[in-house]
Amino acid sequence: MEVVHVASESLPLVKTGGLADVVFGLARSQQKNNKVKIILPLYKKIKDKYYDKLEELGYFYTSEKYVGLYELKVDGLNFILIDNEEMFGSDEIYSYGNDTDRYAFYNWAVLDTLGYLELIPDVIHLHDWHTGLLPLLLKQYHMRDERYQSIKTIFTIHNFAFQGIASLDKRFEYRLEESGYYELDGNINFLKTAIACSDKITTVSPSYRDELLVDNTYPSLRTVLESRSEDFVGILNGIDYDYFDPKHDPLIKCNYNGRNYKKSKRLNKQALYEQFGIDCDLDKPLFCLISRLTEQKGLNMLLEKLDDLAGLDISIFILGSGDKHFESQFESRFEWRNNCNIYIGYNEELAHQLYAASDFLIMPSLFEPCGLSQMIAMRYMTLPIVREVGGLKDSVYPYNKYTLEGNGFSFYNPYAGELYDTINLALELYNDKKAMSQIIKNAYKSDYSFNLPCSQYLELYESAQFRAIW
Ligand code: ADP
């Protein structure tokens, strides 16, 4: 099959969260048996870093706006990059106040690019709201051109909370023909458009799919989703097992495998402590949190119990960035504690080092479409402590002290007390070396590679039927 992924971010070029991991990992895995390309905006960050590797493919104008096209081959993947200084020339990727304008332009540019390059895939796989107008534009405009008529559209919801909402007045600028497909609660809603118009809709775990169909946080959007429930499936994400591989990861100090992990993880812990001047006993367990610092991630539970946690015989390391109030609260409360460390910022290298050095990863999310950090943690033989929600529930099976089953720890209610008790249970396991080894083995053996999701997506692509929207 010929598959084109369209997204707003992908490793190794740009990443702000799990979306970038998934686009990259899925494309790499599909590429073994299919022709795959990824289309991304040519952000300034990419231009600066890969300037001498970009190959020009040409340019055209869409609605009088310049669209430059470049190809970039990296890590065995083929990227097509869409250039427009005004839209993508700033330092950051998101949050310019006009993101919906930037991505509406992007959706038009992507579709026109396919025709310009004579690149007509069997499937366009779209990711998140940034690509939400595309199925509508394809069916309203581009399918008038015969070449586009065989293309199927698959849309993946990575996070239902991000919807791409613009004022209805923008419909002229975005060139949306009058229809009921893009409007929701008096606004243009990119996510609604995608849900209404794509041939198939997926989300990133079976449990999140079920939660979305009953959750009433966004009632009108839920109703739209419900109307498409037969075409809506949950496919659990995977992670790229070559990229996240403690045996060969070039970003960690000491590589390891299922046999020599104890000694090596300790050396990684030592290197981490030396790098940050942490004066902590290496025998004490290290709990990490690697996350965007936002409400979604359940951080208030952690803050509520921070004093109690800091009093335990453990050390804690937080790597994250996001909402300023979380950043400053953690920073100020960690400042004077020896066993609590924090690094504010986005740092891929440090993330890998932390996965490799830690004993446990804390992830108490309020909601979690899939979550990748828990999967990465298990790959690095670090046990996840999670809330039983969304993809966390589908990937972390709680430790059972009688049968020694399970690959991590979980709790149900979003209460700080439950998180605290679960951390204490983890501490208990840590002190039982034999049982701890067994649970680590279970975690390491859990297969969260892209093998299964890759075949599930291909099956879905094959079964997708064109959905008429007029
Ligand atoms: P989300 O997509 O909601 O941010 P996921 O768990 O799906 O959460 O994916 C998060 C990804 O981003 C993981 O690969 C994690 O290691 C990485 N990550 C999160 N915060 C940071 C950070 N501050 N520095 C480096 N990597 C981070």
Side-chain angles (χ1 to χ4, degrees):
M1 276 201 155
E2 264 194 83
V3 183
V4 168
H5 288 275
V6 186
S8 59
E9 53 181 278
S10 169
L11 275 175
L13 308 188
V14 267
K15 168 169 164 178
T16 68
L19 172 64
D21 291 298
V22 176
V23 175
F24 170 76
L26 180 60
R28 284 232 295 196
S29 167
Q30 290 175 333
Q31 179 154 278
K32 291 173 194 156
N33 298 306
N34 305 277
K35 276 189 164 172
V36 182
K37 288 194 193 313
I38 301 176
I39 303 187
L40 289 184
L42 181 54
Y43 300 109
K44 180 172 182 295
K45 275 189 175 153
I46 305 180
K47 214 184 238 180
D48 290 350
K49 186 163 174 206
Y50 293 95
Y51 200 78
D52 52 345
K53 292 201 176 79
L54 296 174
E55 283 186 35
E56 241 180 284
L57 297 176
Y59 68 91
F60 60 87
Y61 289 85
T62 193
S63 228
E64 295 177 11
K65 289 197 175 78
Y66 170 81
V67 178
L69 294 178
Y70 291 86
E71 187 173 38
L72 176 63
K73 292 189 175 140
V74 54
D75 283 355
L77 282 172
N78 260 321
F79 287 92
I80 292 173
L81 302 166
I82 296 203
D83 185 30
N84 177 299
E85 254 325 281
E86 186 196 335
M87 298 293 174
F88 306 123
S90 319
D91 284 333
E92 293 307 320
I93 300 177
Y94 305 125
S95 300
Y96 286 99
N98 64 343
D99 280 356
T100 48
D101 299 349
R102 297 164 68 225
Y103 290 104
F105 160 79
Y106 178 55
N107 285 211
W108 272 102
V110 168
L111 281 169
D112 291 344
T113 295
L114 298 183
Y116 180 85
L117 295 178
E118 294 284 342
L119 168 69
I120 303 297
D122 299 299
V123 168
I124 309 185
H125 190 151
L126 304 160
H127 300 270
D128 266 355
W129 75 263
H130 317 90
T131 61
L133 298 184
L134 198 146
L136 175 64
L137 302 179
L138 173 69
K139 290 177 181 181
Q140 265 187 347
Y141 293 91
H142 291 79
M143 278 194 175
R144 291 175 192 156
D145 175 341
E146 220 173 56
R147 293 172 305 167
Y148 288 82
Q149 287 173 4
S150 59
I151 302 177
K152 298 178 187 180
T153 45
I154 310 294
F155 182 85
T156 297
I157 302 168
H158 294 261
N159 196 328
F160 203 63
F162 302 134
Q163 297 171 9
I165 295 170
S167 149
L168 208 50
D169 302 339
K170 289 279 182 183
R171 65 189 183 280
F172 306 110
E173 190 183 323
Y174 299 171
R175 290 187 283 155
L176 301 175
E177 262 173 31
E178 214 48 59
S179 80
Y181 289 107
Y182 55 79
E183 187 183 339
L184 192 72
D185 301 334
N187 292 305
I188 296 172
N189 186 306
F190 282 50
L191 188 55
K192 183 239 165 135
T193 313
I195 293 171
C197 301
S198 301
D199 297 327
K200 289 275 183 195
I201 306 136
T202 77
T203 191
V204 289
S205 69
S207 288
Y208 191 56
R209 176 200 181 271
D210 296 345
E211 287 165 13
L212 287 182
L213 288 172
V214 293
D215 186 283
N216 238 1
T217 315
Y218 309 101
S220 21
L221 195 55
R222 185 184 60 80
T223 309
V224 181
L225 193 58
E226 216 169 30
S227 72
R228 297 293 320 272
S229 58
E230 282 189 10
D231 290 316
F232 178 38
V233 297
I235 296 179
L236 190 69
N237 277 336
I239 54 168
D240 188 302
Y241 265 34
D242 293 325
Y243 183 71
F244 293 110
D245 180 3
K247 281 199 261 316
H248 304 292
D249 189 339
L251 301 179
I252 65 177
K253 294 284 179 296
C254 185
N255 292 106
Y256 55 93
N257 57 34
R259 283 187 302 281
N260 62 3
Y261 73 90
K262 279 186 192 148
K263 202 168 140 218
S264 308
K265 278 181 79 75
R266 194 182 162 91
L267 287 171
N268 282 313
K269 198 190 274 185
Q270 189 177 6
L272 179 84
Y273 286 0
E274 275 167 18
Q275 186 186 343
F276 287 90
I278 300 170
D279 180 20
C280 233
D281 186 348
L282 289 173
D283 287 330
K284 286 186 188 175
L286 171 59
F287 289 72
C288 70
L289 180 132
I290 303 169
S291 178
R292 288 185 293 115
L293 301 181
T294 62
E295 200 72 35
Q296 176 198 338
K297 300 294 177 179
L299 303 171
N300 283 325
M301 285 181 256
L302 199 58
L303 281 167
E304 203 180 315
K305 283 286 169 191
L306 211 55
D307 292 335
D308 295 328
L309 285 170
L312 297 175
D313 221 10
I314 64 175
S315 69
I316 303 176
F317 200 121
I318 291 183
L319 163 63
S321 60
D323 296 353
K324 295 294 162 231
H325 79 276
F326 281 125
E327 291 184 356
S328 57
Q329 276 203 65
F330 276 113
E331 257 181 334
S332 63
R333 294 185 60 188
F334 271 24
E335 210 170 17
W336 48 274
R337 297 182 201 276
N338 216 11
N339 61 341
C340 296
N341 283 276
I342 184 157
Y343 180 104
I344 297 288
Y346 187 90
N347 188 326
E348 185 78 12
E349 186 171 354
L350 180 56
H352 286 234
Q353 289 166 357
L354 263 179
Y355 286 117
S358 302
D359 300 289
F360 300 99
L361 170 99
I362 303 175
M363 203 169 172
S365 309
L366 296 180
F367 71 94
E368 195 58 75
C370 176
L372 300 177
S373 298
Q374 82 282 11
M375 295 179 179
I376 304 171
M378 289 189 257
R379 180 84 171 134
Y380 285 77
M381 289 169 240
T382 297
L383 297 180
I385 298 169
V386 305
R387 221 192 119 221
E388 285 160 23
V389 68
L392 297 175
K393 186 167 140 194
D394 294 342
S395 56
V396 177
Y397 303 103
Y399 159 58
N400 179 322
K401 68 177 173 185
Y402 302 105
T403 62
L404 292 189
E405 287 169 320
N407 55 11
F409 297 84
S410 64
F411 61 99
Y412 180 70
N413 291 303
Y415 303 148
E418 285 199 22
L419 169 65
Y420 183 67
D421 290 346
T422 313
I423 289 177
N424 272 299
L425 189 63
L427 198 51
E428 220 175 86
L429 177 70
Y430 184 82
N431 293 322
D432 180 346
K433 298 291 172 220
K434 206 165 152 214
M436 177 83 180
S437 304
Q438 181 58 49
I439 305 304
I440 289 177
K441 201 164 148 194
N442 297 349
Y444 187 55
K445 286 204 163 153
S446 311
D447 181 0
Y448 294 116
S449 70
F450 262 106
N451 291 341
L452 183 61
C454 180
S455 58
Q456 289 171 324
Y457 275 116
L458 283 175
E459 233 172 78
L460 185 82
Y461 294 168
E462 270 156 20
S463 71
Q465 303 275 339
F466 174 73
R467 172 181 162 81
I469 60 159
W470 45 81

